[in-house]
Structure formats: structure tokens, C-alpha cells
Amino acid sequence: MEGNYIDRDITSVVLEAADYFPVVCITGPRQSGKTTLIRHLFPNYVRYSLENLDVRNYAKNDPVSFLNQTEDGMVLDEVHRVPELLSYIQGIVDDHPHRRFILSGSSNFMLIRSVSQSLAGRVGLFDLLPMSLSETVGLTEAKSLNELLFEGLYPAICAKKNVAHLYYPAYVRTYLDRDVRELINVKDLLQFNTFLRLCAGRIGSLFNASELAAEVGVSPHTIMAWLSVLEASYVVTLLRPYSANTTKRLVKTPKLYFCDTGLACYLLGIESPEQLARDKMRGHLFENLIVMEALKWQFNRGKLASLYFYRDSNKNEIDLLMGESGKMNGIEIKSSMTYHTDFSKQLSQMDTLIDTPIGKRAVVYAGELENKTASVMLLNYKHFDYLLG
């Protein structure tokens, strides 16, 4: 950590990509640290935010002049606001290979589609999520698990520039409501916010659109459209069920998780770490934390998401399967501080359930006792990355 800047694990792969691609694009939820990261890595590049209405109008009305204000590097924040710029950027980097553009955006739905169409083969794409536990070493050790889950891992919270009970209400009003209005025509924002809160109550559960539709009072089609908006805005992520060449009857429905537990706690109406300690959702929120740690680990190394869960008709379950180097790591997630032998049962039988070659196996829990040498490792959640090293 340098001054107020928190080093991000994604740094090395972004810098490597910048050596080989004329365009680097970083997407992620609002306030995940994209602008701060880019300013730190490319301090000499001219930066323009297309959130600024005057800048946006200039870019739309005279894109050639706008993009040629400098012969050196240019940073364009929230570039999905003016997607037509991407075609002009393609022409510039094709004609002038030395030119460099760093793009960022908080709408995966609009930005990635436009980038893929206009800049195929010319762009390195990355996702930056809120902080990982490894990035907050020195910042979160003093926090209890309940405090960590309640406060979440957005950079402003980790750097103590804001507090959870103020940050998340403002986040929902300032960003989510606005992004929703731009992405879909929500006739009743109250219904959408009800949907948001009901999703938070289903963390770690199979996503049932028909069930949610009945509770919210809209059609299943609308629920699926809203879900796609939450995914595109990096509010939620879906964990897909494992499926390979198998004769077993496997669950085909994804599980729902939030990209940050602090936001989820706010939507659940949890107002303090003490309340969280007694809440029925605590175990689900802990599972959410670990699933997101795995996803951040892959994204921070420039990898595509390769995460699954296992469940079959015989009630065999494994909380998290993580693809790595052609193998599948198996992870059981328990919020208990006390280890029980049945935690390892499904992992011990993993060879009979999974067709993919097996890598490491671990129980990740909230207790202090660890065993890193057993066939099924036992790890405290703070040392989850040991499984991935």
C-alpha cells in the first residue's frame, strides 16, 4: 500500500496486456476502484470521463477531433456512454499502432458487446471487483468475521473513507437506481427494489424465476430481464451447476450470489454486525464471501470465470468447484468456528461424483484450527488463497 492507494492484485496482468494490446478495457461495478487503478498505472495518460455531459457531447459530435487530442495514451472512463467511439478507436490503432487507449465502464452488458464487435483482437479485457481479502492485508485483520461481512469490501470502506451504514444506502440510490433506468424500462422502481431485496434473501439458493415473479407481482420473463441487468451491473453473479459427460442426474439451475456482502446486508435490512451474528442469513453470506474470493482470484489473474457447484438427485452436494489448470478444486464452505468430520464427507467422495480430474480439496471455515497437508485441507477463510497458490 502506497499512501492512500491500495495495491490491487490485477496490476501485473493489466500492465502485461498494455504491452501487447493497443486497447485495455477494465469493467466492474461502480466504486470498485477502476479509475483509481488506471490513474495509478497510467499516470501520464490524458483522462476523460464520459460521465461529464460536456465531454460526452464533444465525443459524440466530433469523435475524430476528440480522440486525436493527444498522440500519447488516452483514458476514457465510462466509455459505454458513447459506444460509437469504439469504431473510431479501431481505425486509429490500426493506422497508428503506437497509440494506446485505456477504457473503463460499469455496464458489462453494453460495453463488452460493443468492445467485442469493434475491437476484436485489439483489446485486453479485465473485470475489477471490490477488494479481495489478500488485497486488504493490514486493513481488515482487526475486523471480526461479522464486521467483515457487514461492511463489505468496497475500496472506500476498506480505506476507511466511508462507513457501511452511510455508503450502501447512497450506493443504491445513486448508482443502482440510475443504472437500472438506463438499461431497462422499469415502470415501478419500487417493484424492482423489492426484487433486489428478495434476491438478497436467496443468496446461495437455486434461482427460481417463477417463485420470485409471484412474490414481486411481475412475469417470469420480467424477472429474468431484471436479473440480466443485475448481472450486467455487477450487482449479482450466478454460480452455474457443474455439468460434464456424466450419466448422473444433475441440478441445472444456477445459484445466486451478490458481488459484495456489505451491499447484500443492506438489502437484507441488517443494520449492524451484532444483528448479523444472530441472522439466519449469516451462513449464506459467509458462503457468498468465499465464492466471490474465488471469482476475484480468477479475474485478478486475467482468467475467465471457471466456478461451479455440484448437486445431484441423490442429494450429493459440493459448495464450490473451481477450475484450475485442467483440474477441479473442491471446496466446502462452513461458517462454523468448530470443525466436524462430516464437513469433509462429500469432498472425500469427489472422485465418484466429478468426471473432471481432481485438484485440491479443502474445507474453508471460520475456525482457527488448520491442516494444510491432509488430502482434504482445513483452512481458515483468511487463508483461502493458500488453496489457490
Side-chain angles (χ1 to χ4, degrees):
M1 190 162 63
E2 181 181 302
N4 289 325
Y5 178 74
I6 303 173
D7 292 321
R8 304 303 300 264
D9 289 344
I10 203 171
T11 293
S12 60
V13 71
V14 169
L15 289 175
E16 181 182 17
D19 287 337
Y20 294 98
F21 291 102
V23 183
V24 171
C25 180
I26 302 174
T27 62
R30 291 184 179 275
Q31 300 290 299
S32 65
K34 300 182 297 295
T35 298
T36 301
L37 174 72
I38 290 170
R39 281 175 171 166
H40 184 78
L41 299 185
F42 307 98
N44 298 321
Y45 285 18
V46 177
R47 175 182 171 270
Y48 296 97
S49 173
L50 294 165
E51 292 274 67
N52 183 299
L53 187 58
D54 291 335
V55 174
R56 195 187 315 166
N57 286 336
Y58 179 17
K60 285 184 175 181
N61 294 328
D62 195 349
V64 174
S65 172
F66 175 74
L67 292 172
N68 283 287
Q69 293 177 84
T70 175
E71 283 293 313
D72 299 316
M74 178 180 283
V75 174
L76 299 175
D77 283 339
E78 302 300 335
V79 71
H80 62 274
R81 299 280 184 192
V82 192
E84 55 266 34
L85 286 179
L86 300 175
S87 295
Y88 291 98
I89 290 173
Q90 174 192 334
I92 290 172
V93 297
D94 286 349
D95 293 339
H96 306 282
H98 67 282
R99 293 287 301 275
R100 289 293 183 269
F101 291 90
I102 310 297
L103 314 178
S104 77
S106 54
S107 177
N108 191 28
F109 180 78
M110 291 188 290
L111 181 54
I112 297 302
R113 182 175 61 183
S114 299
V115 166
S116 299
Q117 291 172 349
S118 301
L119 296 170
R122 304 168 181 85
V123 61
L125 289 167
F126 301 96
D127 298 88
L128 184 69
L129 297 176
M131 312 293 291
S132 65
L133 292 177
S134 64
E135 291 171 330
T136 63
V137 172
L139 299 171
T140 59
E141 283 89 345
K143 293 182 180 180
S144 68
L145 175 58
N146 292 329
E147 289 172 328
L148 187 66
L149 294 172
F150 174 74
E151 295 180 5
L153 289 165
Y154 273 91
I157 300 292
C158 295
K160 298 182 179 179
K161 294 180 179 178
N162 211 324
V163 289
H165 71 274
L166 297 176
Y167 182 80
Y168 292 108
Y171 189 93
V172 170
R173 289 194 301 269
T174 305
Y175 298 120
L176 297 194
D177 288 353
R178 184 183 68 176
D179 289 348
V180 166
R181 287 192 180 98
E182 290 179 354
L183 287 170
I184 55 175
N185 181 23
V186 178
K187 297 178 181 178
D188 188 339
L189 195 57
L190 181 61
Q191 276 187 321
F192 185 85
N193 286 332
T194 299
F195 168 68
L196 261 179
R197 296 177 190 280
L198 289 172
C199 283
R202 285 162 170 76
I203 285 172
S205 300
L206 300 179
F207 186 82
N208 188 320
S210 297
E211 182 183 273
L212 271 172
E215 291 192 52
V216 178
V218 297
S219 69
H221 176 78
T222 297
I223 291 295
M224 294 307 296
W226 287 356
L227 179 68
S228 69
V229 170
L230 293 188
E231 280 194 282
S233 302
Y234 294 92
V235 177
V236 303
T237 188
L238 293 177
L239 186 64
R240 309 292 174 181
Y242 169 85
S243 62
N245 296 324
T246 179
T247 57
K248 300 180 181 69
R249 293 176 59 192
L250 302 175
V251 167
K252 297 181 180 179
T253 307
K255 285 185 178 183
L256 178 74
Y257 295 93
F258 272 66
C259 287
D260 188 77
T261 61
L263 176 59
C265 283
Y266 167 69
L267 293 170
L268 287 166
I270 297 172
E271 298 181 354
S272 69
E274 292 74 24
Q275 181 184 346
L276 173 59
R278 304 184 299 271
D279 197 279
K280 65 180 182 179
M281 289 299 295
R282 182 180 181 275
H284 298 282
L285 289 163
F286 180 72
E287 182 177 325
N288 198 132
L289 174 72
I290 301 306
V291 170
M292 290 311 300
E293 282 298 297
L295 185 60
K296 291 170 188 177
W297 192 90
Q298 292 186 332
F299 281 172
N300 287 342
R301 283 147 188 82
K303 299 176 182 290
L304 294 174
S306 181
L307 300 177
Y308 313 91
F309 72 93
Y310 181 92
R311 182 182 295 182
D312 63 29
S313 58
N314 293 321
K315 298 183 179 180
N316 294 306
E317 296 186 39
I318 298 174
D319 291 331
L320 181 61
L321 299 174
M322 187 173 184
E324 185 67 25
S325 302
K327 296 183 178 180
M328 199 67 74
N329 296 327
I331 302 160
E332 278 294 311
I333 305 168
K334 304 295 181 182
S335 61
S336 170
M337 294 185 68
T338 305
Y339 173 73
H340 299 283
T341 54
D342 59 353
F343 289 176
S344 304
K345 181 179 177 182
Q346 297 294 331
L347 293 176
S348 298
Q349 300 173 358
M350 193 172 164
D351 304 77
T352 66
L353 303 175
I354 306 297
D355 294 339
T356 310
I358 308 301
K360 299 175 182 178
R361 314 177 210 207
V363 173
V364 177
Y365 79 136
E368 297 300 322
L369 177 68
E370 293 188 301
N371 186 344
K372 298 178 180 178
T373 60
S375 58
V376 177
M377 292 185 283
L378 181 63
L379 297 174
N380 175 269
Y381 70 94
K382 293 180 180 178
H383 303 145
F384 174 67
D385 57 351
Y386 180 87
L387 175 68
L388 312 175

